[in-house]
Amino acid sequence: MATYTKLSSGSWRVQVRRKGRYVSETFLRRDDARRWATDAERQVDRGETPTTSRVARLKTFGELIDLHIDDMCDVGKSPLRSKAATLDMLRRHLGKCNMAALDRERLIRFGRERAAQGAGPVTLVGWLATAVMAVAAVGLFATW
């Protein structure tokens, strides 16, 4: 059986103890924690090793953008034209970047490259705000 704990940050930690196995994950939404716990319990029952959450499996920034778009569509708010274009541009320019390599210096380099191509300060801030919003929406600030 899973144990759910609401953390002071507002996130939910779920712990699964079953058949001598222990796994845990942290999620922004309780519903996501519940779904993951149910899957983890089934995997333990089948003798498999529970998989990590979909967020923890992200390798590239492009995968994060895809996850963010999927989450938006799940709640019935697909990205409109402007946001979709911004996410598409971020995916083209930063999508293959490993999440571990996407740090402050990489974002500064991206901003300078785009500025050299004629993007103005407001445009750059908009792109970077969208990138940060995608990271926050899937709950990766702890690792980013």
Side-chain angles (χ1 to χ4, degrees):
M1 184 166 155
T3 302
Y4 304 92
T5 307
K6 187 160 186 168
L7 305 175
S8 60
S9 65
S11 296
W12 289 88
R13 178 178 43 232
V14 59
Q15 300 170 317
V16 175
R17 292 178 184 90
R18 199 172 187 96
K19 295 184 178 181
R21 306 283 311 265
Y22 170 82
V23 291
S24 70
E25 284 279 342
T26 303
F27 297 88
L28 285 179
R29 298 182 303 210
R30 189 176 198 280
D31 192 48
D32 291 338
R34 185 188 51 76
R35 279 191 294 242
W36 178 84
T38 302
D39 289 342
E41 289 171 340
R42 285 185 191 130
Q43 289 171 333
V44 169
D45 288 344
R46 290 190 303 254
E48 301 170 358
T49 302
T51 57
T52 57
S53 71
R54 64 187 182 154
V55 172
R57 289 189 299 249
L58 293 175
K59 300 287 187 241
T60 67
F61 190 66
E63 291 173 355
L64 178 131
I65 290 172
D66 293 337
L67 177 60
H68 178 54
I69 292 170
D70 290 345
D71 284 348
M72 290 179 68
C73 292
D74 286 348
V75 297
K77 295 190 177 197
S78 301
L80 299 178
R81 187 178 60 194
S82 178
K83 183 165 187 170
T86 300
L87 290 170
D88 186 50
M89 185 278 308
L90 287 169
R91 186 185 299 115
R92 277 193 322 270
H93 291 277
L94 297 173
K96 293 181 182 172
C97 190
N98 187 316
M99 287 299 293
L102 192 61
D103 57 5
R104 180 178 179 270
E105 284 74 28
R106 179 64 184 102
L107 291 175
I108 290 171
R109 187 169 28 136
F110 166 72
R112 287 183 177 152
E113 290 168 359
R114 297 301 297 153
Q117 295 172 353
V122 173
T123 302
L124 293 173
V125 168
W127 287 334
L128 294 177
T130 300
V132 169
M133 184 178 54
V135 169
V138 296
L140 277 180
F141 265 126
T143 61
W144 203 43

